[in-house]
């Protein structure tokens, strides 16, 4: 199974990237025969989509190749970053009927809004499948360091992430059947509503 982790912050020294690195290592231990890849939106540096914009072929291939995703999303102004929304303008089709585990990140007590925002509005044209389990990594700078290592005294968050990733792998296996089905291949309607 191939899982792509997206670090949704465009900041150079993003805590989201640290969390994504931790998840990448842990996922490799849970899924030793599979593959993982990490898409860092700081490095991707995608221009804001406008009509006629061409998609970056390398990123498109990376997303299309993935069978499941982890979105590591910081809370910015109570929202997901605009650069993260931007990727759905370019690559919506790469997410269709694939499972996603959302991990939100906050330096303080935040992290609820990105989860509710994505679950409320992001599925219609992408046909994305957010799994029921999500995890909030709040007070992130006291929890995971810039080497992607846990520094928190409690392993509560580590346990939550471990559970989320194990569920993601199960959903990834299960939903591959949906994408092999005749109704998926038919593509009758372009939008979900
Ligand atoms: C533009 C901006 C807006 C932010 N707004 C919020 C917010 O609404 N709620 C919150 O909990 N943290 C907010 N933060 C702080 C983030 O929680 C903090 O930067 C954290 O490290 C996650 O973002 P990062 O992955 O970019 O580091 C904001 C940070 C930035 C750069």
């Amino acid at each position: 199974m191939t899982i792509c982790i997206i670090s949704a912050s465009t900041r150079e020294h993003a805590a989201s990237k640290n969390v994504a690195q931790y998840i990448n290592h842990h996922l490799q231990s849970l899924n030793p025969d599979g593959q993982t890849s990490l898409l860092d939106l700081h490095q991707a540096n995608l221009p804001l989509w406008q009509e006629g914009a061409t998609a970056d072929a390398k990123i498109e291939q990376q997303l299309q190749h993935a069978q499941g995703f982890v979105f590591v999303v910081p809370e910015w102004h109570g929202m997901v970053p605009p650069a993260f929304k931007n990727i759905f303008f370019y690559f919506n089709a790469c997410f269709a009927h694939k499972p996603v585990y959302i991990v939100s990140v906050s330096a303080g007590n935040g992290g609820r809004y990105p989860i509710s925002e994505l679950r409320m509005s992001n599925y219609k044209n992408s046909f994305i499948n957010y799994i029921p389990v999500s995890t909030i990594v709040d007070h992130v700078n006291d929890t995971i360091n810039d080497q992607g290592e846990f520094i928190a005294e409690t392993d509560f968050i580590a346990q939550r992430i471990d559970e989320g990733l194990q569920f993601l792998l199960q959903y990834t296996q299960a939903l591959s059947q949906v994408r092999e089905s005749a109704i998926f291949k038919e593509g009758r309607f372009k939008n979900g509503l």
Side-chain angles (χ1 to χ4, degrees), residues 9 11 13-16 74-78 105-108 110-111 140:
S9 173
R11 294 197 319 115
H13 301 292
S16 299
E75 179 171 307
W76 282 5
H77 296 306
V105 175
S106 166
V140 62

Side-chain angles (χ1 to χ4, degrees), residues 118-137:
L118 292 174
R119 288 188 181 283
M120 190 181 349
S121 65
N122 179 233
Y123 64 91
K124 187 178 84 69
N125 290 5
S126 64
F127 295 93
I128 207 161
N129 251 274
Y130 289 115
I131 69 168
V133 183
S134 303
T135 300
I136 298 168
V137 184

Side-chain angles (χ1 to χ4, degrees), residues 25-97:
H25 291 142
H26 193 60
L27 199 50
Q28 282 167 12
S29 68
L30 292 174
N31 182 32
D33 299 328
Q35 291 177 300
T36 63
S37 71
L38 206 163
L39 175 61
D40 174 6
L41 291 195
H42 167 69
Q43 280 180 349
N45 200 20
L46 272 176
L48 187 65
W49 181 89
Q50 54 180 294
E51 212 161 30
T54 352
D56 181 310
K58 214 168 142 205
I59 296 177
E60 187 165 31
Q61 195 183 23
Q62 181 180 5
L63 298 175
Q64 193 55 57
H65 185 61
Q67 296 157 294
F69 294 91
V70 184
F71 291 169
V72 184
V73 189
E75 179 171 307
W76 282 5
H77 296 306
M79 302 182 282
V80 304
F84 184 61
K85 285 285 183 79
N86 195 33
I87 68 167
F88 295 97
F89 284 71
Y90 282 104
F91 308 114
N92 237 359
C94 299
F95 298 100
H97 298 284

